[in-house]
Amino acid sequence: MKLTKATNYALHTMMFLAANPPDEHIGVAKLAERQGVSTTYLSKILTKLVKSGLVESVSGANGGYKLKPDWEKLSLLDVIKAIEGLTPIFDYCLSHNPDCLIQKAIESAEEKLLDELNQTRIVDLANKWNETSI
């Protein structure tokens, strides 16, 4: 699994949205400015987050983006899947042997990584960030 810049921006966007009041919509310009990225680029990322059901968008003068209901359950892995999908780090052994010890070791490490990302909640990171920003 290789994480792109888009995933980095998506994760930070989710944390910024989580750090704000849950009913407040934040415009793409404000989110882009916080991260030093173009609104066009971040809009494409936000479109993926909306399509995956992690974020809601509202049009109009008071529109913008906010996290979906039950957003407190969202993990880093949810965001990564929305942007990257999930492809294995190492998907086959050179010898094509299902008992390959190297493949088994890497799959085990990948499983632990995915578990850690799944257990890390966006809300927990946003709360820590809010505490350090005060």
Side-chain angles (χ1 to χ4, degrees), residues 90 92-95 97-109:
F90 188 77
Y92 66 91
C93 184
L94 188 58
S95 66
N97 179 351
D99 295 323
C100 176
L101 296 176
I102 294 171
Q103 182 167 339
K104 285 184 176 191
I106 291 174
E107 286 174 349
S108 175

Side-chain angles (χ1 to χ4, degrees), residues 12 22 31 38 42 46 58 72 83-84 87 92 98 102 107 122:
H12 282 87
L31 291 166
S38 76
L42 192 59
L46 282 160
V58 175
E72 295 91 351
I83 303 299
E84 303 284 344
T87 55
Y92 66 91
I102 294 171
E107 286 174 349
I122 298 290

Side-chain angles (χ1 to χ4, degrees), residues 6 51 61-63 69 89 102 115 124 128:
K51 284 182 180 179
N62 295 323
I89 294 172
I102 294 171
D115 186 52
D124 296 332
K128 287 180 186 175

Side-chain angles (χ1 to χ4, degrees), residues 11-47:
L11 289 166
H12 282 87
T13 296
M14 295 294 286
M15 189 177 69
F16 294 146
L17 291 172
N20 282 290
D23 292 332
E24 182 181 321
H25 292 90
I26 302 174
V28 67
K30 185 175 180 181
L31 291 166
E33 182 182 323
R34 283 192 97 154
Q35 299 182 72
V37 65
S38 76
T39 55
T40 304
Y41 184 60
L42 192 59
S43 291
K44 291 176 185 177
I45 294 167
L46 282 160
T47 297

